[in-house]
Amino acid sequence: MDTGGNSLPSGPDGVKRKVSYFYDPEVGNYYYGQGHPMKPHRIRMTHALLAHYGLLQNMQVYKPLPARERDLCRFHADDYVNFLRSITPETQQDQLRQLKRFNVGEDCPVFDGLFSFCQTYAGGSVGGAVKLNHNICDIAINWAGGLHHAKKCEASGFCYVNDIVLAILELLKQHQRVLYVDIDIHHGDGVEEAFYTSDRVMTVSFHKFGDYFPGTGDIRDIGYSKGKYYSLNVPLDDGIDDESYHFLFKPIIGKVMEVFKPGAVVLQCGADSLSGDRLGCFNLSIKGHAECVKFMRSFNVPLLLLGGGGYTIRNVARCWCYETGVALGTEVDDQLPQHEYYEYFGPDYTLHVAPSNMENKNTRQLLEEIRNNLLDNLSKLQHAPSVQFQERPPDTELPEADEDQDDADERWDPDSDMEVDEKRPIPSRVKREAIEPERKDSEAPKGTAEQARGFDNMATNETLITKSVDVRPMAIDEPTVKVEQETSNKASDPIYPKS
């Protein structure tokens, strides 16, 4: 039985969920540059798999509206957003001081369409949060999002705008508590920092810790002030496998859900924690990675699924395709369908890839110590914090018109760059990315939003310090995307580690 909205009864995980999926057909055209491991093309490859597996027909598919400058400034500093808007490859040599100030130029290069790219992936994440807030769906997906390293005033780790923070701020309009879970191999430092003093957002990050980017995420980092014990860090070593990962993930997240009782969950599904990732050192299988998605789904809480890292792009596409199936409650065939990127997946042409025989440096004793330590921290949270909404800012409104056209033939995009296999019993063009109608919101009075949401006011003016955030309403504008054409899809680039 297909039940919509957020009113799902608790029960078996096989219950169908209503899923909203955000995808911009041009996202794969953005190009970080020759040799850079971050390739937005992986999002297009993922979408191609979803189309040829027939999964798009089971979801509401939306083209996200790009986030406006003022929306990005709900978290990011005005001068930083202005810089991202104005910088181009042609002008960057004239702004060397600004490049250094905002940490742009090396790991985070300037490329054509940079600001449009930021607007697009942020718009998808915020759009997903809006759908959840309005009970349009039970699960929202934006594989282009999940860029968890971006800070209030600087880029970091291939991330320019922190779409996750913006999405969480949107969810906080409707939910007293939001849980953020991060299974990327890198620590979710930007999100943790943004909510470090808040008891309304709990952040839980499972990551490689040691001599590894970004170098943060010690188990002793637990939050500060009102946010004490609301940050959980799970430091892991090389070679962790499915069994060891779940030995920590399931009891810790199970306890978090019991104690914190979130109204919504954001799960960052970075695929660089998979075995064989170009920049990673974990040994998770795709099914092991997806088991975390399945576990979060089983709680029947509004769920936002985001992308993140992942640099062996054929495996990223495999993983996020499979996890879309998990969200839908659909088991997809291991044999890949013929499609335009089929040659990427040779020689076996299967969805799943066997983990390697690398050594697991995470001993059972170490895992037990980590688990006991974190469960002890959670025991210090006596009950879920209550937040009094005295003057809650207005919700972001959705128009009443249905985004999906009635005529099925009109839901197919004639401008798509994909040719669907004629052997499959679906039309010869992928499902149309229905453009989400413009959302409207009202500005809340200054100071009201912070008070209503229980954040610590760490500054006296509108610009808060990096460990506190502004939670006024957000809105999205009409899309105007100008991008660079992909110049290399399959180049064997040199290793480009995060530094």
Side-chain angles (χ1 to χ4, degrees):
M1 182 176 69
D2 192 355
T3 308
N6 295 329
S7 57
L8 284 171
S10 59
D13 191 47
V15 174
K16 291 292 184 182
R17 307 296 201 276
K18 197 168 185 181
V19 179
S20 292
Y21 167 77
F22 288 80
Y23 174 71
D24 189 315
E26 299 198 42
V27 73
N29 293 331
Y30 296 102
Y31 187 58
Y32 276 61
Q34 183 70 25
H36 200 290
M38 175 61 101
K39 300 187 183 303
H41 178 60
R42 65 202 177 131
I43 310 301
R44 179 189 283 151
M45 292 173 61
T46 302
H47 186 77
L49 285 179
L50 297 179
H52 291 267
Y53 269 115
L55 295 177
L56 295 181
Q57 285 87 334
N58 301 321
M59 304 184 287
Q60 291 292 323
V61 180
Y62 299 98
K63 179 179 179 180
L65 293 167
R68 298 175 298 191
E69 289 181 51
R70 71 184 188 201
D71 302 326
L72 303 179
C73 291
R74 302 303 186 206
F75 171 60
H76 293 287
D78 293 3
D79 53 354
Y80 175 55
V81 173
N82 290 335
F83 168 79
L84 291 177
R85 178 182 54 78
S86 62
I87 193 72
T88 68
E90 293 74 28
T91 62
Q92 61 178 327
Q93 290 303 315
D94 301 326
Q95 301 188 53
L96 296 180
R97 178 180 292 185
Q98 293 284 79
L99 289 169
K100 183 175 181 180
R101 175 187 174 193
F102 296 122
N103 195 34
V104 172
E106 295 185 7
D107 277 6
C108 303
V110 178
F111 56 86
D112 284 339
L114 169 60
F115 190 62
S116 293
F117 174 63
C118 295
Q119 290 178 293
T120 298
Y121 76 74
S125 297
V126 174
V130 170
K131 295 293 183 190
L132 292 172
N133 279 351
H134 286 81
N135 299 341
I136 302 298
C137 61
D138 310 303
I139 301 174
I141 300 174
N142 178 33
W143 294 129
L147 277 67
H148 57 175
H149 295 306
K151 308 297 196 302
K152 183 183 181 74
C153 301
E154 68 176 44
S156 177
F158 315 159
C159 308
Y160 303 87
V161 165
N162 201 312
D163 62 290
I164 306 170
V165 172
L166 298 173
I168 291 173
L169 293 177
E170 187 67 36
L171 290 169
L172 287 171
K173 295 178 181 179
Q174 282 289 337
H175 304 283
Q176 291 185 356
R177 293 173 297 280
V178 175
L179 171 64
Y180 172 68
V181 181
D182 190 316
I183 58 174
D184 192 291
I185 194 172
H186 300 94
H187 177 230
D189 57 336
V191 185
E192 178 186 278
E193 181 178 291
F195 299 106
Y196 205 66
T197 61
S198 172
D199 62 356
R200 293 192 57 205
V201 179
M202 178 174 278
T203 61
V204 186
S205 178
F206 298 77
H207 52 268
K208 158 74 176 174
F209 184 70
D211 185 16
Y212 200 71
F213 183 89
T216 52
D218 192 292
I219 196 170
R220 294 170 293 185
D221 295 334
I222 58 175
Y224 180 74
S225 185
K226 288 174 64 178
K228 188 174 183 181
Y229 300 121
Y230 289 91
S231 291
L232 268 69
N233 285 295
V234 188
L236 305 170
D237 209 341
D238 294 7
I240 193 163
D241 56 22
D242 294 350
E243 180 184 1
S244 298
Y245 203 90
H246 300 150
F247 177 78
L248 292 176
F249 187 89
K250 292 187 175 181
I252 290 171
I253 294 301
K255 188 66 174 178
V256 166
M257 295 299 289
E258 174 191 335
V259 174
F260 186 59
K261 293 182 172 60
V265 175
V266 178
L267 178 59
Q268 196 266 22
C269 304
D272 47 7
S273 46
L274 292 173
S275 179
D277 186 79
R278 183 174 155 190
L279 299 186
C281 55
F282 282 0
N283 199 21
L284 297 182
S285 70
I286 288 173
K287 284 191 175 179
H289 194 274
E291 182 66 25
C292 299
V293 178
K294 186 176 181 181
F295 190 68
M296 297 307 319
R297 180 186 190 272
S298 70
F299 291 99
N300 299 305
V301 172
L303 177 61
L304 177 61
L305 298 180
L306 303 175
Y311 308 101
T312 300
I313 60 175
R314 61 185 179 276
N315 290 346
V316 177
R318 285 173 159 126
C319 180
W320 291 345
C321 172
Y322 185 75
E323 289 176 347
T324 303
V326 169
L328 289 165
T330 301
E331 185 66 32
V332 293
D333 189 12
D334 187 40
Q335 189 61 44
L336 289 171
Q338 285 278 351
H339 66 292
E340 60 272 36
Y341 304 118
Y342 190 68
E343 70 274 12
Y344 279 76
F345 301 94
D348 51 356
Y349 303 101
T350 56
L351 189 66
H352 294 281
V353 179
S356 73
N357 60 355
M358 71 184 298
E359 177 190 359
N360 184 356
K361 295 184 179 180
N362 299 270
T363 64
R364 180 51 67 109
Q365 179 182 356
L366 175 64
L367 294 173
E368 288 178 349
E369 289 177 2
I370 292 172
R371 186 170 77 167
N372 293 339
N373 187 322
L374 292 173
L375 291 176
D376 180 62
N377 283 351
L378 286 169
S379 70
K380 295 171 184 175
L381 298 178
Q382 297 300 319
H383 53 78
S386 60
V387 179
Q388 183 177 5
F389 284 111
Q390 296 176 345
E391 286 187 67
R392 190 166 64 79
D395 298 328
T396 302
E397 296 179 0
L398 281 177
E400 295 180 1
D402 190 353
E403 294 87 345
D404 215 2
Q405 289 79 5
D406 294 330
D407 185 352
D409 292 336
E410 291 298 317
R411 293 198 300 268
W412 297 82
D413 184 1
D415 299 324
S416 170
D417 58 9
M418 289 185 287
E419 295 291 335
V420 177
D421 184 6
E422 293 179 359
K423 297 179 182 179
R424 296 190 60 82
I426 56 177
S428 61
R429 293 167 293 189
V430 302
K431 185 175 180 182
R432 182 181 186 89
E433 289 75 35
I435 296 179
E436 190 180 358
E438 183 175 2
R439 298 190 289 272
K440 302 175 182 178
D441 67 6
S442 303
E443 293 292 338
K446 293 181 182 179
T448 302
E450 290 84 359
Q451 176 187 5
R453 288 179 171 78
F455 283 107
D456 292 326
N457 272 327
M458 303 291 289
T460 57
N461 57 23
E462 222 172 43
T463 304
L464 304 185
I465 67 171
T466 58
K467 297 245 172 150
S468 182
V469 291
D470 186 359
V471 289
R472 290 170 295 171
M474 301 179 62
I476 305 297
D477 209 344
E478 291 294 334
T480 53
V481 181
K482 182 179 180 181
V483 299
E484 176 189 20
Q485 293 298 314
E486 177 93 352
T487 60
S488 172
N489 287 343
K490 294 179 60 181
S492 179
D493 297 328
I495 296 298
Y496 192 108
K498 291 182 179 179
S499 58

